[in-house]
Amino acid sequence: MADDIATPEPAAEPTPSPEPRPDPQPPILRIENVVKTFGSFRAVDGVSLDIRAGEFFALLGPSGCGKTTLLRMLAGFETPDEGRILLSGEDIAQVLPHERPVNMMFQNYALFPHLNVRDNIAFGLRRAGMPRAEITTRVAEMVALVRLEGLEKRKPDQLSGGQKQRVALARSLARRPQVLLLDEPMAALDKKLRESTQFELMELQRRLGMTFIIVTHDQEEAMTVASRIGVMKAGKLEQVAVPRRLYEEPASRWVAQFVGDINLFEGEVTAREPHRLRVSTASAGELVAAQPVAPIDESKVAVAIRPEKIRLALRRPAGDAAAINCVEGIISDTSYLGGKTVYKIRLDGGAAIHAAQANTARLDADGYGLNQRVVAWFTPDDCVVLER
Ligand SMILES: Nc1ncnc2c1ncn2[C@@H]1O[C@H](COP(=O)(O)OP(=O)(O)O)[C@@H](O)[C@H]1O
Ligand SMILES: [Mg+2]
């Protein structure tokens, strides 16, 4: 790195994306090759992961990929069949759930319906034998933290979805765990409330300086709240990275497609130039792309380009731009989404692509219509080559 002149860097720093520097402290949580099977089914299949103290980490993956199972093992509700979980360097296999400095907020909140807000929040404190006066103070503090003042005597069925979520959050924070696990905490909220709650959760995490691990199947949510994301597929971790790297440098085709929308042109590498690969594709002819960071099987690749990185015009661009990564087709569908419009374009080669254009002006001066003929192009640096 540039500020480190004394030690020469190994050849060519592969990527400009910001990745946090390695932490000299041991991780607060170390997951070592953890496996959990149900019968012959491997719900969690050899996951290794370090979580740093104070991190807001998201586990992202489709339904059924093992996120909740992994979280339940961290909380102590399930025991790994293989591997170890270390908290601040200590194996916690023998530590019971309520004795771990880890707490979990469940997906359905799991509030006690017969207890009011105050007693729900106080439940774990009472069980831990905290003195009465201290419980009163702590509950008041938690009620203020999640802004539930005035609702202390209500039962869960007298609360809105957002208020129930806050009670669950307050209850899981009441014992001041070192690590808070949140299983799809926003799943039951409507979109607007979910967005504001995401920002509140981030603010809360910063203020408390606690380690948060959130589970979600929603990539936007993961990218909004988390400083690092682990993408899970069928019990395995596919990639762990900061949001930008996950989106711009996906490690696999599956990650590229799961995290956001992407266009793929399948083909094979025909030539290598400095920092560039030429790829012959069936649907878009010859494309030029930046070299991937890691080596790949060059006989079967796909050139991947995000919709917002494709430029559209009525005519071919002048000069060099027309010579590379330039395709033509017909607009076959348009979706106006407010901030952007997504065009589906049927290319002359037969393939369909998505191109997104930001709507930066209120008046629709440069939108394209159905069946209009357009030219689409993109730069080599904006696409990545992935193994097919
Ligand atoms: N107690 C259990 N018994 C049997 N199968 C289970 C059990 N818990 C989870 N599974 C299965 O393990 C897989 C992963 O589940 P889960 O961790 O809940 O996924 P996610 O939270 O990512 O949606 C699913 O196929 C689920 O059906
Ligand atoms: Mg789940």
Side-chain angles (χ1 to χ4, degrees):
M1 262 144 252
D3 56 347
D4 203 355
I5 301 162
T7 36
E9 275 297 303
E13 180 68 15
T15 160
S17 294
E19 188 79 45
R21 278 166 179 254
D23 197 330
Q25 299 285 327
I28 190 162
L29 204 55
R30 168 159 281 176
I31 301 166
E32 266 180 18
N33 206 17
V34 162
V35 174
K36 180 70 194 177
T37 54
F38 295 112
S40 61
F41 177 71
R42 292 166 85 86
V44 173
D45 194 3
V47 167
S48 295
L49 177 65
D50 280 354
I51 308 278
R52 295 184 278 264
E55 238 190 319
F56 200 143
F57 191 91
L59 277 170
L60 171 69
S63 182
C65 72
K67 306 181 297 294
T68 297
T69 306
L70 182 56
L71 223 54
R72 288 175 60 83
M73 287 191 280
L74 302 180
F77 301 118
E78 302 278 3
T79 315
D81 294 311
E82 290 173 35
R84 297 195 306 166
I85 298 168
L86 308 176
L87 190 80
S88 307
E90 305 262 335
D91 191 330
I92 52 169
Q94 303 306 321
V95 185
L96 293 169
H98 64 274
E99 288 166 355
R100 296 184 182 196
V102 174
N103 218 337
M104 179 152 168
M105 182 178 147
F106 296 95
Q107 180 165 9
N108 52 13
Y109 309 146
L111 298 176
F112 301 108
H114 58 288
L115 297 183
N116 66 25
V117 168
R118 177 180 292 148
D119 293 336
N120 261 289
I121 298 173
F123 186 83
L125 305 175
R126 292 210 174 101
R127 201 171 57 169
M130 186 185 263
R132 246 192 132 103
E134 225 176 295
I135 291 180
T136 307
T137 317
R138 182 72 62 85
V139 169
E141 193 186 308
M142 290 299 131
V143 164
L145 189 71
V146 300
R147 295 188 287 106
L148 281 170
E149 294 100 332
L151 303 177
E152 293 90 336
K153 295 221 166 71
R154 292 216 193 155
K155 299 272 176 68
D157 65 3
Q158 298 169 308
L159 299 170
S160 71
Q163 291 163 341
K164 279 186 219 168
Q165 199 248 19
R166 284 159 195 277
V167 179
L169 188 59
R171 189 180 61 179
S172 60
L173 286 168
R175 291 189 64 200
R176 296 188 180 147
Q178 288 176 37
V179 180
L180 182 64
L181 311 171
L182 304 114
D183 193 358
E184 308 262 7
M186 266 79 87
L189 309 180
D190 60 60
K191 191 168 162 49
K192 267 277 173 254
L193 188 56
R194 206 164 9 168
E195 282 166 9
S196 59
T197 309
Q198 285 165 3
F199 285 104
E200 283 172 20
L201 210 54
M202 290 159 72
E203 213 267 319
L204 196 66
Q205 190 263 350
R206 268 195 294 265
R207 191 139 47 98
L208 299 172
M210 239 180 232
T211 309
F212 277 22
I213 304 176
I214 190 176
V215 154
T216 178
H217 62 272
D218 178 339
Q219 55 114 353
E220 267 185 49
E221 182 164 292
M223 289 179 138
T224 303
V225 299
S227 47
R228 260 189 337 144
I229 301 174
V231 186
M232 278 185 82
K233 177 197 175 195
K236 291 188 158 74
L237 265 181
E238 284 270 308
Q239 187 173 6
V240 180
V242 299
R244 169 175 282 274
R245 187 173 275 194
L246 204 60
Y247 187 78
E248 303 293 1
E249 295 161 32
S252 69
R253 190 175 163 137
W254 187 85
V255 171
Q257 287 178 300
F258 185 71
V259 180
D261 193 9
I262 200 152
N263 299 292
L264 295 168
F265 300 99
E266 308 201 335
E268 55 186 82
V269 176
T270 51
R272 355 169 91 255
E273 293 160 13
H275 313 297
R276 296 262 191 278
L277 293 179
R278 278 185 187 272
V279 179
S280 164
T281 73
S283 51
E286 182 174 83
L287 298 177
V288 183
Q291 257 189 32
V293 178
I296 54 166
D297 173 2
E298 296 191 350
S299 64
K300 287 183 174 173
V301 299
V303 174
I305 176 86
R306 299 281 183 195
E308 74 280 4
K309 296 184 174 67
I310 295 182
R311 271 160 264 184
L312 295 179
L314 293 175
R315 264 166 243 94
R316 288 199 157 241
D320 286 351
I324 48 169
N325 300 348
C326 191
V327 290
E328 288 188 36
I330 302 280
I331 305 269
S332 64
D333 216 337
T334 70
S335 307
Y336 174 76
L337 300 173
K340 65 178 179 183
T341 299
V342 178
Y343 296 101
K344 192 170 172 186
I345 302 156
R346 195 162 9 84
L347 300 182
D348 295 344
I353 60 167
H354 287 161
Q357 307 277 286
N359 293 323
T360 52
R362 190 172 68 87
L363 299 178
D364 180 24
D366 41 36
Y368 299 97
L370 216 54
N371 297 323
Q372 196 159 18
R373 187 159 187 87
V374 291
V375 178
W377 79 96
F378 45 93
T379 69
D381 282 339
D382 281 337
C383 39
V384 288
V385 179
L386 299 171
E387 218 169 283
R388 209 190 302 168

